[in-house]
Amino acid sequence: MGIFDVSLPPVVAYVMLAASIAALARDAMHTQWKQIDRLGAFSAWCFSVIVLPLLWRMDVRIGNEIDLHLLGMPLFVLMFGRPLATVGLSLAVIAHTALQGGLWSNLGLNLLVLAVFPAWCGDAVMRATRRFLPHHIFIYLLGNGFFGTMAMLAATDVVTIAAHQIWVAPVAADTIAYMLLLAWGESFLTGFLLTIFTVYRPEWVLTFDDDVYLRGK
């Protein structure tokens, strides 16, 4: 979904790299590594970082240098929150660039599109869900796991299409339909997995708060 094979203009590449480093550094400083290790979530976080580059390699090219594949980013964000997701997704993007033989000059843009933006978008969705919707476990699972995932994926798709349209080649109209169709399926999968983890491995779902969604209900 990123731009790995076509060189970006040097100025754009440097600006994107600086922006991605700034965002990554900000979230890295707010990451509570000792807490996730104590809760038993660190192994799940490491496993997710390893699996994502492998998942992204199972793609289908539909023309104009766009590769469609499951993203996995919404589940990462919903489980670990924005700071951990930003760091983990960034490591996954770096690993994917190395495995695919992508252009390192494009790393900044790919970090913004595939790591920073999805993490911040997911954080905004979860904040909105908690603020404007009733505090109920089904609201958390459906509002974030399905509808929130759909919003994250659609927003990421729009940003990706815009980047390709500007710096690679015009994007065919049916590309949007393919992306939304794949996003619909991934939303169901993400909601299902979030439900399973919340019920059976709640220590892995750091964004779920028992005091908000369970106690007193």
Side-chain angles (χ1 to χ4, degrees):
M1 291 287 285
I3 300 177
F4 293 92
D5 302 325
V6 179
S7 297
L8 295 173
V11 175
V12 174
Y14 288 130
V15 171
M16 296 294 180
L17 182 60
S20 64
I21 291 176
L24 179 58
R26 183 183 188 279
D27 281 338
M29 289 188 296
H30 291 83
T31 299
Q32 299 178 345
W33 299 106
K34 293 183 178 179
Q35 180 183 6
I36 66 168
D37 188 40
R38 176 176 56 82
L39 294 174
F42 185 68
S43 297
W45 182 85
C46 292
F47 179 79
S48 301
V49 173
I50 295 171
V51 167
L52 280 180
L54 302 178
L55 177 67
W56 294 343
R57 288 181 64 85
M58 295 184 288
D59 54 19
V60 176
R61 177 154 294 190
I62 59 175
N64 294 334
E65 303 296 334
I66 292 184
D67 298 321
L68 289 185
H69 52 77
L70 295 175
L71 295 180
M73 297 176 296
L75 182 61
F76 204 123
V77 179
L78 291 172
M79 288 181 61
F80 303 110
R82 192 196 74 211
L84 280 167
T86 302
V87 176
L89 291 172
S90 297
L91 293 175
V93 171
I94 293 171
H96 182 64
T97 302
L99 291 173
Q100 184 174 324
L103 296 173
W104 290 104
S105 59
N106 294 4
L107 181 62
L109 174 65
N110 291 325
L111 287 175
L112 288 177
V113 172
L114 298 177
V116 176
F117 178 77
W120 284 72
C121 182
D123 184 67
V125 169
M126 287 187 287
R127 288 177 182 272
T129 301
R130 178 174 292 194
R131 179 177 180 181
F132 297 110
L133 296 179
H135 293 168
H136 194 280
I137 185 172
F138 291 107
I139 296 295
Y140 172 82
L141 295 175
L142 291 177
N144 293 321
F146 178 76
F147 295 104
T149 294
M150 192 68 189
M152 282 184 259
L153 293 173
T156 302
D157 290 343
V158 169
V159 171
T160 302
I161 289 175
H164 277 266
Q165 186 77 24
I166 295 172
W167 291 301
V168 180
V171 178
D174 55 359
T175 301
I176 300 176
Y178 293 142
M179 285 183 168
L180 293 178
L181 183 62
L182 186 60
W184 180 265
E186 185 169 352
S187 298
F188 275 104
L189 179 61
T190 300
F192 172 76
L193 292 175
L194 182 65
T195 302
I196 294 296
F197 293 146
T198 302
V199 174
Y200 293 104
R201 287 292 185 270
E203 66 274 13
W204 292 358
V205 186
L206 304 184
T207 63
F208 184 79
D209 191 340
D210 292 351
D211 293 331
V212 174
Y213 294 104
L214 290 180
R215 293 194 175 98
K217 298 295 186 291

